[in-house]
Protein backbone atom coordinates (compact mmCIF):
# COMPACT_ATOMS: atom_id res chain seq x y z
CA UNK A 1 0.00 0.00 0.00
CA UNK A 2 1.47 3.32 -0.99
CA UNK A 3 1.34 6.00 1.67
CA UNK A 4 -0.44 9.26 0.96
CA UNK A 5 1.98 12.16 0.74
CA UNK A 6 2.50 14.25 3.88
CA UNK A 7 -0.02 12.28 5.98
CA UNK A 8 1.53 8.93 6.85
CA UNK A 9 -1.87 7.33 6.18
CA UNK A 10 -2.40 4.66 3.50
CA UNK A 11 -3.44 5.89 0.08
CA UNK A 12 -6.81 4.12 0.01
CA UNK A 13 -7.50 5.16 -3.58
CA UNK A 14 -4.72 2.91 -4.84
CA UNK A 15 -6.04 -0.15 -3.04
CA UNK A 16 -8.84 -0.65 -5.56
CA UNK A 17 -6.47 -0.50 -8.53
CA UNK A 18 -4.45 -3.64 -7.92
CA UNK A 19 -4.05 -6.13 -10.73
CA UNK A 20 -5.81 -9.44 -10.45
CA UNK A 21 -3.49 -11.84 -8.67
CA UNK A 22 -3.85 -15.10 -6.81
CA UNK A 23 -2.83 -15.11 -3.16
CA UNK A 24 -4.05 -18.60 -2.33
CA UNK A 25 -1.85 -21.51 -1.27
CA UNK A 26 -2.59 -25.20 -1.70
CA UNK A 27 -1.12 -27.91 0.54
CA UNK A 28 -1.51 -31.65 -0.05
CA UNK A 29 -0.15 -34.50 2.03
CA UNK A 30 0.69 -37.80 0.32
CA UNK A 31 -1.10 -40.03 -0.20
CA UNK A 32 -3.63 -37.30 -0.93
CA UNK A 33 -6.75 -37.56 1.18
CA UNK A 34 -7.56 -33.90 1.54
CA UNK A 35 -6.53 -30.45 0.34
CA UNK A 36 -5.67 -27.53 2.62
CA UNK A 37 -6.63 -24.23 1.00
CA UNK A 38 -5.31 -20.94 2.37
CA UNK A 39 -6.16 -17.45 1.18
CA UNK A 40 -6.45 -13.86 2.34
CA UNK A 41 -9.78 -12.14 2.81
CA UNK A 42 -9.34 -8.45 3.45
CA UNK A 43 -6.55 -8.13 5.99
CA UNK A 44 -6.77 -11.65 7.43
CA UNK A 45 -5.69 -15.13 6.32
CA UNK A 46 -8.05 -18.09 6.49
CA UNK A 47 -7.75 -21.76 5.59
CA UNK A 48 -10.05 -24.73 5.21
CA UNK A 49 -9.72 -28.43 4.55
CA UNK A 50 -11.55 -30.11 1.71
CA UNK A 51 -11.93 -33.48 0.04
CA UNK A 52 -12.78 -32.37 -3.52
CA UNK A 53 -15.38 -34.63 -5.10
CA UNK A 54 -13.59 -35.30 -8.38
CA UNK A 55 -15.25 -37.91 -10.57
CA UNK A 56 -13.03 -38.41 -13.61
CA UNK A 57 -14.12 -39.74 -16.98
CA UNK A 58 -11.04 -41.09 -18.77
CA UNK A 59 -11.09 -40.98 -22.57
CA UNK A 60 -9.12 -43.07 -25.04
CA UNK A 61 -7.91 -39.86 -26.69
CA UNK A 62 -4.17 -39.32 -26.40
CA UNK A 63 -1.84 -36.44 -27.14
CA UNK A 64 1.87 -35.61 -26.91
CA UNK A 65 2.38 -32.55 -24.71
CA UNK A 66 6.00 -31.49 -24.51
CA UNK A 67 8.00 -34.63 -23.83
CA UNK A 68 5.10 -36.53 -22.27
CA UNK A 69 2.58 -38.94 -23.72
CA UNK A 70 -0.74 -37.97 -22.18
CA UNK A 71 -4.33 -39.16 -22.06
CA UNK A 72 -7.50 -37.11 -21.82
CA UNK A 73 -9.85 -37.02 -18.83
CA UNK A 74 -12.74 -34.74 -17.86
CA UNK A 75 -14.47 -33.78 -14.64
CA UNK A 76 -16.99 -31.27 -13.27
CA UNK A 77 -15.76 -29.16 -10.37
CA UNK A 78 -16.59 -25.76 -8.93
CA UNK A 79 -19.30 -25.03 -11.47
CA UNK A 80 -17.03 -25.66 -14.47
CA UNK A 81 -16.23 -28.58 -16.77
CA UNK A 82 -12.51 -29.34 -16.82
CA UNK A 83 -10.43 -31.09 -19.48
CA UNK A 84 -7.22 -32.67 -18.24
CA UNK A 85 -4.30 -34.44 -19.90
CA UNK A 86 -2.35 -36.77 -17.62
CA UNK A 87 0.73 -38.92 -18.06
CA UNK A 88 1.56 -42.25 -16.44
CA UNK A 89 5.23 -41.53 -17.13
CA UNK A 90 5.30 -39.55 -13.88
CA UNK A 91 3.61 -41.82 -11.31
CA UNK A 92 2.11 -39.13 -9.06
CA UNK A 93 -1.66 -38.89 -8.87
CA UNK A 94 -1.54 -35.13 -8.52
CA UNK A 95 -2.02 -31.91 -10.45
CA UNK A 96 -2.33 -28.14 -10.09
CA UNK A 97 -4.74 -26.37 -7.76
CA UNK A 98 -7.10 -28.91 -6.10
CA UNK A 99 -6.97 -31.43 -8.92
CA UNK A 100 -5.72 -34.98 -8.32
CA UNK A 101 -6.87 -38.59 -8.52
CA UNK A 102 -5.90 -39.62 -12.05
CA UNK A 103 -3.48 -42.56 -12.61
CA UNK A 104 -0.57 -40.21 -13.25
CA UNK A 105 0.45 -36.57 -13.11
CA UNK A 106 -1.80 -33.97 -14.73
CA UNK A 107 0.38 -32.27 -17.33
CA UNK A 108 -2.27 -29.87 -18.58
CA UNK A 109 -5.75 -28.90 -17.43
CA UNK A 110 -8.17 -26.12 -18.31
CA UNK A 111 -11.86 -25.35 -18.14
CA UNK A 112 -14.00 -25.95 -21.22
CA UNK A 113 -14.78 -22.23 -21.64
CA UNK A 114 -11.07 -21.32 -21.76
CA UNK A 115 -11.01 -19.13 -18.67
CA UNK A 116 -8.31 -21.03 -16.78
CA UNK A 117 -5.47 -23.28 -17.86
CA UNK A 118 -2.41 -24.83 -16.22
CA UNK A 119 0.40 -26.60 -18.07
CA UNK A 120 3.52 -28.31 -16.78
CA UNK A 121 6.62 -26.59 -18.16
CA UNK A 122 9.24 -28.77 -16.52
CA UNK A 123 10.26 -30.66 -13.42
CA UNK A 124 13.49 -31.14 -11.54
CA UNK A 125 14.89 -32.61 -8.37
CA UNK A 126 15.20 -29.99 -5.67
CA UNK A 127 17.90 -29.80 -3.02
CA UNK A 128 16.22 -27.01 -1.08
CA UNK A 129 13.55 -28.90 0.87
CA UNK A 130 15.41 -28.34 4.14
CA UNK A 131 15.57 -24.58 3.52
CA UNK A 132 11.89 -24.44 2.64
CA UNK A 133 11.01 -26.41 5.77
CA UNK A 134 13.10 -24.02 7.87
CA UNK A 135 11.25 -21.02 6.43
CA UNK A 136 7.91 -22.68 7.09
CA UNK A 137 9.00 -23.45 10.65
CA UNK A 138 10.04 -19.83 11.22
CA UNK A 139 6.71 -18.61 9.89
CA UNK A 140 4.86 -20.90 12.31
CA UNK A 141 6.96 -19.73 15.26
CA UNK A 142 6.53 -16.04 14.49
CA UNK A 143 2.91 -16.30 13.37
CA UNK A 144 3.79 -14.56 10.10
CA UNK A 145 1.00 -15.09 7.55
CA UNK A 146 -0.72 -17.38 10.05
CA UNK A 147 -4.23 -18.36 9.08
CA UNK A 148 -7.31 -19.19 11.07
CA UNK A 149 -8.75 -22.55 10.03
CA UNK A 150 -12.48 -22.49 9.39
CA UNK A 151 -14.97 -24.49 7.33
CA UNK A 152 -15.32 -23.95 3.60
CA UNK A 153 -18.87 -22.74 4.17
CA UNK A 154 -17.65 -20.13 6.68
CA UNK A 155 -14.88 -19.11 4.27
CA UNK A 156 -17.48 -18.55 1.54
CA UNK A 157 -19.59 -16.52 3.95
CA UNK A 158 -16.66 -14.30 4.91
CA UNK A 159 -15.69 -13.84 1.26
CA UNK A 160 -19.24 -12.76 0.39
CA UNK A 161 -19.17 -10.29 3.30
CA UNK A 162 -15.85 -8.93 2.05
CA UNK A 163 -17.33 -8.29 -1.40
CA UNK A 164 -20.14 -6.29 0.18
CA UNK A 165 -17.89 -4.36 2.58
CA UNK A 166 -14.23 -4.66 1.44
CA UNK A 167 -12.95 -2.05 3.93
CA UNK A 168 -14.58 -3.50 7.04
CA UNK A 169 -11.26 -4.41 8.65
CA UNK A 170 -9.64 -1.06 7.88
CA UNK A 171 -12.75 0.78 9.03
CA UNK A 172 -12.60 -1.05 12.35
CA UNK A 173 -8.91 -0.22 12.72
CA UNK A 174 -9.49 3.44 11.88
CA UNK A 175 -12.32 3.56 14.41
CA UNK A 176 -9.69 3.32 17.15
CA UNK A 177 -8.18 6.67 16.12
CA UNK A 178 -9.36 9.56 18.35
CA UNK A 179 -11.84 11.79 16.51
CA UNK A 180 -9.90 14.95 17.39
CA UNK A 181 -6.70 13.81 15.63
CA UNK A 182 -5.87 16.23 12.81
CA UNK A 183 -3.87 14.99 9.84
CA UNK A 184 -3.83 18.02 7.56
CA UNK A 185 -6.19 20.77 6.46
CA UNK A 186 -6.95 19.13 3.11
CA UNK A 187 -7.17 15.50 4.29
CA UNK A 188 -10.57 13.92 4.90
CA UNK A 189 -10.42 10.37 6.21
CA UNK A 190 -14.11 9.74 5.57
CA UNK A 191 -13.78 10.92 1.95
CA UNK A 192 -10.69 8.76 1.42
CA UNK A 193 -12.59 5.76 2.79
CA UNK A 194 -15.61 6.40 0.58
CA UNK A 195 -13.44 6.77 -2.52
CA UNK A 196 -11.45 3.63 -1.67
CA UNK A 197 -14.59 1.60 -1.02
CA UNK A 198 -16.09 2.67 -4.34
CA UNK A 199 -12.96 1.75 -6.27
CA UNK A 200 -12.49 -1.57 -4.46
CA UNK A 201 -16.09 -2.59 -5.16
CA UNK A 202 -15.55 -1.71 -8.83
CA UNK A 203 -12.36 -3.79 -8.82
CA UNK A 204 -14.15 -6.78 -7.25
CA UNK A 205 -16.99 -6.46 -9.77
CA UNK A 206 -14.53 -6.50 -12.68
CA UNK A 207 -12.61 -9.49 -11.30
CA UNK A 208 -15.51 -11.80 -10.51
CA UNK A 209 -14.57 -14.79 -12.67
CA UNK A 210 -13.32 -17.05 -9.88
CA UNK A 211 -11.83 -20.49 -10.44
CA UNK A 212 -14.72 -22.05 -8.52
CA UNK A 213 -17.96 -20.39 -9.54
CA UNK A 214 -19.89 -22.44 -7.00
CA UNK A 215 -17.94 -20.75 -4.16
CA UNK A 216 -18.24 -17.09 -5.03
CA UNK A 217 -21.47 -16.86 -7.00
CA UNK A 218 -23.87 -18.48 -4.56
Amino acid sequence: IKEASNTGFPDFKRMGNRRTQFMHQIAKSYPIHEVLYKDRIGMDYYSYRENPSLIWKISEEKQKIGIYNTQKATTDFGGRKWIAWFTTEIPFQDGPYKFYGLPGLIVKIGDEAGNYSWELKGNRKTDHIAEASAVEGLMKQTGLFASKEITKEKFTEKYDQHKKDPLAGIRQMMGQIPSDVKISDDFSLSKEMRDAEKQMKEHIAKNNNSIELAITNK
Side-chain angles (χ1 to χ4, degrees):
I1 301 171
K2 183 180 179 180
E3 290 189 346
S5 58
N6 303 321
T7 66
F9 272 73
D11 184 356
F12 295 110
K13 293 179 181 179
R14 294 182 60 87
M15 294 179 65
N17 293 326
R18 294 175 178 174
R19 293 182 178 180
T20 300
Q21 51 184 289
F22 296 104
M23 304 290 292
H24 69 254
Q25 297 177 9
I26 299 287
K28 302 172 184 175
S29 298
Y30 293 89
I32 299 173
H33 295 298
E34 67 178 8
V35 172
L36 178 65
Y37 180 92
K38 176 181 175 182
D39 204 351
R40 190 177 74 180
I41 299 178
M43 301 177 68
D44 300 308
Y45 286 88
Y46 296 95
S47 60
Y48 63 81
R49 297 180 186 275
E50 180 183 16
N51 298 91
S53 179
L54 299 172
I55 301 174
W56 294 100
K57 294 180 181 179
I58 299 178
S59 165
E60 293 299 321
E61 189 175 348
K62 297 182 179 180
Q63 184 181 125
K64 188 76 174 277
I65 299 179
I67 62 173
Y68 302 108
N69 295 304
T70 69
Q71 190 168 347
K72 183 180 179 180
T74 60
T75 190
D76 293 310
F77 176 69
R80 299 181 189 274
K81 181 175 182 179
W82 299 89
I83 301 171
W85 296 88
F86 69 94
T87 180
T88 56
E89 295 170 5
I90 303 179
F92 297 113
Q93 297 184 15
D94 199 3
Y97 192 56
K98 299 178 181 179
F99 300 105
Y100 68 93
L102 285 166
L105 186 69
I106 297 174
V107 173
K108 184 177 180 179
I109 185 169
D111 72 301
E112 191 174 47
N115 292 281
Y116 288 94
S117 178
W118 291 268
E119 183 174 347
L120 177 66
K121 294 301 182 181
N123 66 80
R124 62 183 176 84
K125 183 178 179 180
T126 178
D127 297 320
H128 304 294
I129 295 178
E131 288 87 341
S133 299
V135 172
E136 290 177 2
L138 179 62
M139 289 172 64
K140 288 181 180 178
Q141 290 179 21
T142 60
L144 188 65
F145 304 122
S147 64
K148 179 181 179 181
E149 188 169 330
I150 56 180
T151 64
K152 185 175 182 179
E153 290 73 22
K154 191 66 176 178
F155 180 92
T156 302
E157 180 183 325
K158 285 185 175 294
Y159 186 79
D160 288 340
Q161 291 172 349
H162 172 68
K163 290 194 296 181
K164 295 174 182 176
D165 188 4
L167 295 185
I170 294 177
R171 189 178 292 105
Q172 182 179 7
M173 180 180 66
M174 291 301 177
Q176 300 175 11
I177 300 175
S179 58
D180 58 347
V181 171
K182 188 176 181 61
I183 308 303
S184 68
D185 293 334
D186 59 350
F187 181 82
S188 170
L189 180 59
S190 60
K191 183 178 183 302
E192 291 289 324
M193 292 287 285
R194 286 196 302 272
D195 291 348
E197 182 173 30
K198 179 176 180 292
Q199 292 191 24
M200 286 194 73
K201 284 185 175 180
E202 291 174 351
H203 175 77
I204 290 172
K206 290 178 181 178
N207 295 273
N208 64 349
N209 189 23
S210 300
I211 297 173
E212 296 181 54
L213 298 175
I215 289 182
T216 59
N217 294 338
K218 293 173 59 181

